[in-house]
Each structure stands twice: as C-alpha cells, then as structure tokens.
Amino acid sequence: MPDAPEPPALPVTFRPGRTRAVLLTAGAAIFAVITTVALLLENLSPGERLSFVFTAALLFGVLVLLARPKVVADASGVTVVNIASTRRLAWAQILRVNLRPGDPWVFLDLSDGTSLPVLGIQPGIAKQHAISDARALRALVEARSLDG
C-alpha cells in the first residue's frame, strides 16, 4: 500500500458499504419470502407458521450480524467493531495497518505483539474502496504516532 494519502478528518467511519447493502437486502428479502410462504401455505398450523417466521427472523439476524463490522477513528483512538466483538484502541497501541494481496480484511499489528483483524475494511466486493480505506487508516495511524 504505497503512497499514503493525507489522513481524513476525524471522526471517520470505515465500513464495507456494498457488502453491507447486499447482506441487509438479502436478509430482508429472505425474511419477506419465508414469511409470505408461511402465510400462503394452507395446511400449516399457527405454530408451524410461527416457526417459519421465527426461522426467517433468525436468518435475518445472522445477516445483520455479518453486516455489523466497522472501524470508527476519532481523536482519542480507534474502535474496531467485528461480528461479535468490539475493541477500543488508543492510537499508540496500533503499530501498523496491513492489507496484503489475498488478505480477507485489514489486520492491525498491535504494541502487545498481537494482530487484530478489522472486518470493517474488507476487499470482498469493493476491492479498490477497501484499499483506499486501508490507506486512509494507515495515514491516520502514521500521523497520530508522530503526534504522540
């Protein structure tokens, strides 16, 4: 990721917009179709209809969770929201932002020697957008490490 751009103004949120749109649209469509089928089938008892709607809601909920990842950067640090976890990091804790060819998402190298996956920047559907976001986050980390 050469040629670091100017860091964006804070606060800034990075998220995989197209992936999120696909997941939420698919979730709503699946919920609508399964619920409609449950209402149109004549031989179902009320409990069976309810189980169809419950299953549709469960599938929609899973897709909402998959659409949850984001990265929020502000003056005091970065909040990484992944599928089932949220982690707040001070700028000084982030040593490097990595998005290598073939990586499914960005990884942050941290001062404690660990690496944190950042699902909020992923090149799946919108590769160029993810590369741009990774460069912007890298520029922020570099600028903030010079400030501190």
Side-chain angles (χ1 to χ4, degrees):
M1 294 183 331
D3 303 327
E6 280 294 314
L10 296 176
V12 62
T13 300
F14 303 104
R15 69 173 69 225
R18 289 183 189 164
T19 301
R20 181 175 166 83
V22 167
L23 289 169
L24 295 176
T25 301
I30 289 168
F31 182 81
V33 168
I34 293 175
T35 300
T36 301
V37 167
L39 296 174
L40 293 177
L41 290 175
E42 297 174 4
N43 295 332
L44 293 182
S45 70
E48 291 170 326
R49 289 182 204 279
L50 187 60
S51 70
F52 267 74
V53 174
F54 177 76
T55 301
L58 188 62
L59 290 171
F60 182 68
V62 167
L63 292 176
V64 167
L65 275 177
L66 291 174
R68 182 176 181 251
K70 65 180 176 180
V71 181
V72 180
D74 59 33
S76 62
V78 175
T79 303
V80 176
V81 179
N82 285 332
I83 294 170
S85 66
T86 299
R87 184 160 176 197
R88 179 74 182 161
L89 301 166
W91 288 109
Q93 291 177 272
I94 305 169
L95 300 178
R96 188 172 320 132
V97 177
N98 293 311
L99 180 59
R100 295 172 293 263
D103 280 351
W105 39 71
V106 163
F107 290 90
L108 299 179
D109 290 340
L110 304 179
S111 60
D112 66 1
T114 62
S115 182
L116 177 67
V118 179
L119 280 65
I121 303 175
Q122 51 183 268
I125 295 176
K127 183 176 182 179
Q128 287 309 116
H129 184 72
I131 290 170
S132 173
D133 285 353
R135 286 181 177 153
L137 183 58
R138 176 181 278 178
L140 282 169
V141 168
E142 289 172 357
R144 291 294 169 166
S145 67
L146 294 176
D147 291 345

